[in-house]
Amino acid sequence: DAGVTQSPTHLIKTRGQQVTLRCSPISGHKSVSWYQQVLGQGPQFIFQYYEKEERGRGNFPDRFSARQFPNYSSELNVNALLLGDSALYLCASSRRRGLAGGLNEQFFGPGTRLTVL
Amino acid sequence: SQQGEEDPQALSIQEGENATMNCSYKTSINNLQWYRQNSGRGLVHLILIRSNEREKHSGRLRVTLDTSKKSSSLLITASRAADTASYFCATVPSSSGSARQLTFGSGTQLTVLP
């Protein structure tokens, strides 16, 4: 089975531009989460989408938005890019909405490396 | 913000030695998970330990959890050069409203020298 896929692999943008990142979850997974990982730090939670609705949001500005499509794929949009948005953006999928109980593991994609100049 | 801290930040050992990494966290948890990341790429899930468990094994990995001290450790036995990577602990909070996201620590960079 294919794992979580993300596109593009790398992206270079300039300040003020807008970017769209894409994620396809593992087949059968209905939950997609987005994380930002700045160099040298652990990933930080941005959004969770489940059944096409936003179910959780981290401490990120409104410049960050996302959506989930009927096939459960997802897009992360970032407007008015800042230098500090340079990071690895990770997408993770899981079967269920919650991560407590059971073995509801999140499977991560390889990430999109965004560089803002 | 990060949930907790990993200790040490960096660890360098010889092949065949054991590697121990520690993780501290701040809030009550439902479970704690360890992930591995090679060269800034995607995260690979290693092991999950629930809050009512104290120790868990998976192959060469041993994880302990002390909820009274809000800490966990990951032991990799008989390390190999291929174990070189960054290791992160991540927690799922016990409050149901928040139990939909992983909160990661800052990671330990492990280097295993051949």
Side-chain angles (χ1 to χ4, degrees), chain A residues 6 21 34-37 46 60 64 76 78 81 84-91 110-114:
Chain A
Q6 292 186 245
L21 311 180
W34 287 94
Y35 292 81
Q36 180 198 63
Q37 186 178 21
I46 309 175
F60 280 81
F64 289 76
L76 174 70
V78 186
L81 285 167
D85 295 331
S86 295
L88 180 68
Y89 288 85
L90 295 161
C91 171
T112 293
R113 173 75 61 188
L114 173 64

Side-chain angles (χ1 to χ4, degrees), chain B residues 42-53:
Chain B
L43 293 155
V44 175
H45 185 267
L46 296 176
I47 195 166
L48 179 151
I49 186 165
R50 294 184 182 83
S51 60
N52 62 352
E53 298 176 309

Side-chain angles (χ1 to χ4, degrees), chain B residues 78-113:
Chain B
S79 63
R80 306 165 181 168
D83 294 329
T84 295
S86 293
Y87 292 83
F88 294 90
C89 68
T91 55
V92 175
S94 56
S95 57
S96 60
S98 302
R100 298 171 192 149
Q101 66 189 68
L102 291 169
T103 303
F104 285 85
S106 51
T108 293
Q109 172 60 50
L110 173 65
T111 302
V112 181
L113 303 169

